[in-house]
Amino acid sequence: MTYVRNAWYVAGWEQDLAPEKPFALTILGDRLVIWRSVSGAVHALEDKCVHRFAPLSLGRCEGEHLRCMYHGLLFEAGGKVAEIPGQDLIPARARVRSYPVVVRHSWIWVWMGEVEAADPALIPPAVGFDDPDYILGCGFLDYQAEARLINDNLLDFSHLTYVHAASFGAGPEFAASQPKVTPLERGVRVERWLENNHGSGNRKSEQLIDGWSSYDFLLPGVLLMWSANYPAGTAKRLNYAPPPMEEAIAGLNFTSQAVTPLTDKTSRYFFSWGPHRQFGDDAMRDHMMGIAGMAFAEDKVMIEAQQRVIDTTPAQDVMPTAHDRGVTLFNRLVEKLSDAATIKRREAVG
Amino acid sequence: MTYVRNAWYVAGWEQDLAPEKPFALTILGDRLVIWRSVSGAVHALEDKCVHRFAPLSLGRCEGEHLRCMYHGLLFEAGGKVAEIPGQDLIPARARVRSYPVVVRHSWIWVWMGEVEAADPALIPPAVGFDDPDYILGCGFLDYQAEARLINDNLLDFSHLTYVHAASFGAGPEFAASQPKVTPLERGVRVERWLENNHGSGNRKSEQLIDGWSSYDFLLPGVLLMWSANYPAGTAKRLNYAPPPMEEAIAGLNFTSQAVTPLTDKTSRYFFSWGPHRQFGDDAMRDHMMGIAGMAFAEDKVMIEAQQRVIDTTPAQDVMPTAHDRGVTLFNRLVEKLSDAATIKRREAVG
Amino acid sequence: MTYVRNAWYVAGWEQDLAPEKPFALTILGDRLVIWRSVSGAVHALEDKCVHRFAPLSLGRCEGEHLRCMYHGLLFEAGGKVAEIPGQDLIPARARVRSYPVVVRHSWIWVWMGEVEAADPALIPPAVGFDDPDYILGCGFLDYQAEARLINDNLLDFSHLTYVHAASFGAGPEFAASQPKVTPLERGVRVERWLENNHGSGNRKSEQLIDGWSSYDFLLPGVLLMWSANYPAGTAKRLNYAPPPMEEAIAGLNFTSQAVTPLTDKTSRYFFSWGPHRQFGDDAMRDHMMGIAGMAFAEDKVMIEAQQRVIDTTPAQDVMPTAHDRGVTLFNRLVEKLSDAATIKRREAVG
């Protein structure tokens, strides 16, 4: 698994985490217990009691503490053991790893790398339910596939023409055109004008329009995209530069998506989507979630099948196409930053 | 997996392959997509897009071509990429392996070895639905077991007395007698007279008969057998030589069976069976398929259990019995020819 | 798997073994067929025909013999082949390993080590249905976990306070107190007075009592425990020595439990429990079995989860607590005796 550890990973929807109900989630192969205490604070610890390795996720919340319900060791939110039934001495090694947690934009973000590097400013600017401008639906899907394959999928939208012909409804002209791909410090930006057409999916239009969409795909695997319809001719008029959001005439919407690697061959894919309040309502949101449900299931079928092929055939180099520019840029970034972390760790040791 | 690659493997019943419905089948560990184009031609390609390894079996038939439905690469039946959406250049390496295919005797045969050695004359002379003499039923079974174990089973019919006591109904005298076993260039012939009895299964007889059966078991794992009843005394009169088929007095029938190794521990077992038109009808065929269904399920229980024992216990040499002559001859042939192929490949490289 | 081979392992409840119904059980990774002949004798053989490794557990009982139902080899109860259909010669190597079996205390015990060391005197003194003093219920549970983890669980009852708070109903004072732990030649003895309380579970009492319990945990993994209530003050009066069983005033009961390692990661856990005839009846037994069913399911959830953590996280040393004295003593004994057997085998070879 080549992933960037020094990054914030989405562990779940904030609204799904009830107080005092610890839940288990594996991220990057690390087993975590995540829980919300009575006070509302959210914590994440290694899900493995230091005594005999029972999972703390079967434990009991006691105030800000979590008790292992096998032999009763009590853990502070920071990972230190506060109590061992039947003995007074707490050994120095009686602690488990704790992970920085931030709740923001309706997601629970967990930092999987070096604690001292955990900077909340690195959390991608997703749109959550606290944003007054959008009417969102949300969900998640579990994949029997490595996260990288889902990232690759999200970094090359030419698959819309084939995988999503029936759901998003893109035609061959979509796969024939190239978006503008720009490297960012922690990701890639993909922008695209689709001129003089009638839109498709939730952005179908009677009159001819210029369709715009722009997304940032950010470490560790977060897609933030907005799209909208503009009057035909806008693209040319702007010399294909990004349009001002406030001049959209229809279809303005936002989607936040996050790919979280669970183990080396399983992933969880979180998503929200919905119209800007000015261009849609709850019914529009529900309609869009219906399309998304269909489309994301199409991706899942393809990507899980792709994973099975990879797992059961001899290793082989991919043959990138012109559409793979975003994939290649992002994967190079991942490789560079995962190397960097490794090197930094090595220096710390050496 | 020690199997002979230079051989025709049964991939399916011709009648099961609808036009423009690609299907996936793994043979000898190679993932294949097999499809019938609108013209009726049947093709087989490596089921792995050269781009990012999506399975072509999720693809779409377009004329004689097959399109990968992930990012739209279009493949010729011979494996060459004809189109890459979004770019004009087709790189030289843009191709996947193609496999020779022949449709004959109602089976789809795929050649798994060196293309230049693919000689249709090596296809075993099975009896298919195109044969006017026989009234056949057919089916297939999937095994959680390596093909070799099913071959071994088919090469020693003494198991009829034990595994199939309730279905084919062979008694202890069957396992006590030895058939004549003769090596063939690409297989083994097993012939047997069973004198002066009342037959069993579909060949039960009121009067005493001499029962004859003869099968060839041919590479890679194809059993072709005919059996019939003769007047008691025939065997002795013929000095135990094979009888002329046309002097049969009852029970003349033919079965074709083929064992196809999918992966190292899974197999597909194809079979047809039925009476000669002169000695039976549709009802007799159905009766026989009922017996076969019961009997082949008995084999499956035993062979899958045998596989589990082999997989979970220390390796150990078999202890061949007198009945294993056919098994031993055939397995030596497999070893010799799989070695030969290996040597030839080595020479080609060296 | 570090286990002591020279020991009697429980293979099942005697009453579950119908005559002439061979059944398959894997113990310590060895596949066994166990069967009761018409005469009532119970035998155990390696479940792997010497011919082609078909399981003998699919075989047919014939008098004191067992016939492999693949190609008909007939086995004596001692493992020697008595008959090979189709040939007269029986090769010297035509035999499978046989295992000593003793039926005692309602359990079928199989000796997994060196045959010459199989001493029935080493069978732990369990209480079976033949014991006139106790009214027993019984059962078994299959674990997706290694036997060692279940042994560890049974050697440290402090988990009652946490795992079994809702079933056995032990409070925090239980986990806070330490039992007396004494090494035995082939196990560990754990004794405990719990003074001046109202009991719990099946031993709840209106008046204050002193509760006593004592168990031996014996190789290979057999727990034999009796418990009873005594008048408050008894513990102090006896200076905390074991009380005479006949002075119990209530709640006298006995439980026999046996942990059998099947494979390295699966186990079968056998148990019986019930009141002494003087202090209970069938209804009390049923009530106790209800509690046990709930409690043993609680253990299973915890231990299987513990196993999954161990299997999916980096190896790490346990951090023993004061309650782990019994666990440590027993595991050292296992290590010593499994080493001893290894050394002995090495000497026999060298």
Side-chain angles (χ1 to χ4, degrees), chain A residues 152-153 156 158-159 162-163 178 302 305-306 308-309 312-314 316-319 321-324 327, chain B residues 29 31 46-48 50-55 58 67 69-73 84-87 91 93-94:
Chain A
D152 290 353
N153 171 283
D156 173 8
S158 76
H159 75 272
Y162 307 100
V163 177
Q178 293 289 357
M302 183 59 79
Q306 183 192 13
R308 284 191 299 271
V309 172
T312 56
T313 58
Q316 178 180 329
D317 287 336
V318 297
M319 187 197 79
T321 70
H323 278 299
D324 278 312
V327 177
Chain B
R31 296 182 79 117
E46 187 185 356
D47 190 19
K48 183 183 185 180
V50 68
H51 173 218
R52 294 201 168 274
F53 321 136
L58 292 181
R67 189 182 293 279
M69 285 303 277
Y70 198 171
H71 300 96
L73 278 68
I84 301 177
Q87 78 182 54
R93 63 167 284 213

Side-chain angles (χ1 to χ4, degrees), chain B residues 295-341:
Chain B
F296 297 162
E298 290 163 345
D299 284 319
K300 186 169 144 80
V301 166
M302 183 59 79
I303 291 168
E304 291 185 342
Q306 184 192 12
Q307 180 75 64
R308 285 192 296 272
V309 172
I310 290 170
D311 288 348
T312 55
T313 57
Q316 178 179 329
D317 287 335
V318 297
M319 187 197 80
T321 69
H323 278 298
D324 279 311
R325 194 167 132 68
V327 177
T328 304
L329 282 173
F330 188 79
N331 284 338
R332 268 191 216 142
L333 185 64
V334 168
E335 201 140 323
K336 201 184 89 186
L337 292 184
S338 58
D339 277 1

